[in-house]
Amino acid sequence: MTRTVYVNGQYLPEDQAKVSIFDRGFLFADGVYEVTSVLDGKLIDFAGHAKRLQRSLDELQMANPVTEEELLEIHRELVRANGIEEGLIYLQITRGAADRDFAYPAAGTQPTIVLFTQAKPGLADAPAAKTGIKVISIEDQRWGRRDIKTVQLLYPSMGKMMAKAAGADDAWMVEDGHVTEGTSNNAYIVKGNTIVTRHLGTEILHGITRAAVLRFAREAQMTVEERPFTVEEAKAADEAFITSASSFVMPVVEMDGAPIGTGTPGHVTARLREIYLDEMRKAAV
Ligand code: PMP
């Protein structure tokens, strides 16, 4: 089936959508993105993603070609046109096409905006949520502004390949002995009743799922500590998990080949996943 995608104001069959070879997203990774999940044909935390998108654009002094209302309408139209019940919507905005030069092009250069859907039947019922995933630890060799959600994703890709080569599912990145985050998710450990995850700053992406999960954890009277944690702490934890818009809350049961806790998904993780999915389905738009 040919998807309908959105590019610069038009809905087109995917094989007819085109972007210039001079696009700065292509030449400089000069672009930002968002991934929003769809459950029951509705958008999960659209407002959170729209807000972070604007923040990423502002940090890079990049123009936003659409209003939040228009963006919501485009998301909904793509869900409808492609019959998405469960899946993801990918959105990318770049600084647009201009003759190749490191300096930003003149104000008024039209940004490029592209959106497409990915159908993922069974997204909320992923088997990995019951078995857990395995991670390896790798050095965090990304740039210093990880709070901006740019399309500069080569190191996370390399990290996933390192994990794959080691027989694991993902990698947790480590800086100065402390875990920053997963290659495409935020990282957490649980010790007793306390959930520990790195504090916000320029070292990690400010996950939209993270914000919601921490809010629900506090509402459920769980203790949350936002601070750096070490690889050793992770290996000695009772539970570990990741969060992202595509995995929601996903247990981590092994790190560098050693089991975490009992080596099976923990009950705090399971409870948070359940609350997150319940509450976010209710609030979906
Ligand atoms: N950290 C990184 C590096 C990511 O790429 C992502 C997902 N894009 C996340 C965290 C999770 O963010 P969110 O919950 O907003 O999907």
Side-chain angles (χ1 to χ4, degrees):
M1 196 193 95
T2 309
R3 272 174 296 189
T4 297
V5 304
Y6 178 90
V7 55
N8 298 330
Q10 286 186 293
Y11 294 94
L12 294 170
E14 63 182 52
D15 52 1
Q16 287 174 32
K18 294 195 171 46
V19 174
S20 166
I21 65 158
F22 297 108
D23 194 278
R24 289 181 58 93
F26 179 60
L27 297 177
F28 291 101
D30 190 359
V32 300
Y33 76 109
E34 283 295 329
V35 177
T36 304
S37 60
V38 177
L39 293 178
D40 316 315
K42 290 182 171 178
L43 303 163
I44 301 298
D45 214 341
F46 173 79
H49 289 283
K51 191 166 171 219
R52 183 174 62 191
L53 172 67
Q54 191 56 56
R55 179 179 182 279
S56 294
L57 291 167
D58 290 345
E59 290 296 314
L60 296 172
Q61 298 162 315
M62 206 182 284
N64 188 346
V66 287
T67 65
E68 188 172 330
E69 295 71 42
E70 285 165 342
L71 200 58
L72 177 58
E73 188 43 42
I74 299 165
H75 277 74
R76 284 181 164 157
E77 178 54 23
L78 287 180
V79 167
R80 197 201 56 73
N82 294 296
I84 307 292
E85 270 303 301
E86 287 198 0
L88 304 171
I89 303 184
Y90 177 88
L91 148 76
Q92 179 169 329
I93 297 177
T94 77
R95 206 180 300 275
D99 196 28
R100 187 176 181 278
D101 186 351
F102 282 82
Y104 296 169
T109 300
Q110 191 57 34
T112 300
I113 176 168
V114 166
L115 287 94
F116 58 82
T117 55
Q118 291 181 301
K120 303 266 179 199
L123 185 66
D125 208 23
K130 291 183 189 76
T131 57
I133 64 162
K134 300 172 182 175
V135 301
I136 56 167
S137 56
I138 62 170
E139 202 185 322
D140 196 335
Q141 295 188 334
R142 296 174 299 164
W143 78 324
R145 288 303 306 275
R146 303 160 192 158
D147 56 312
I148 309 175
K149 196 167 169 64
T150 76
V151 297
Q152 186 190 226
L153 294 172
L154 190 52
Y155 191 70
S157 276
M158 288 167 73
K160 293 258 195 224
M161 295 311 289
M162 289 183 234
K164 210 170 167 177
D169 304 292
D170 200 5
W172 278 14
M173 295 178 284
V174 180
E175 195 165 61
D176 300 330
H178 293 88
V179 173
T180 52
E181 59 189 332
T183 58
S184 60
N185 43 67
N186 291 113
Y188 308 72
I189 56 171
V190 181
K191 189 76 181 170
N193 269 329
T194 304
I195 299 161
V196 184
T197 192
R198 196 179 181 101
H199 58 287
L200 296 182
T202 51
E203 301 84 11
I204 64 166
L205 185 75
H206 302 186
I208 299 306
T209 319
R210 177 189 184 280
V213 165
L214 293 188
R215 185 173 80 243
F216 295 139
R218 288 181 171 118
E219 281 170 12
Q221 315 302 326
M222 297 174 185
T223 308
V224 175
E225 282 179 16
E226 295 180 66
R227 61 163 176 87
F229 61 87
T230 63
V231 172
E232 290 66 39
E233 268 186 280
K235 288 179 178 167
D238 297 327
E239 299 181 27
F241 63 93
I242 56 167
T243 65
S244 73
S246 55
S247 68
F248 311 116
V249 178
M250 187 63 75
V252 173
V253 295
E254 196 183 291
M255 188 173 203
D256 295 332
I260 294 180
T262 60
T264 56
H267 62 272
V268 171
T269 304
R271 176 103 185 87
L272 282 173
R273 181 178 173 90
E274 190 182 307
I275 300 175
Y276 178 82
L277 284 170
D278 281 357
E279 294 298 325
M280 298 316 275
R281 275 183 200 275
K282 277 192 242 164
V285 297

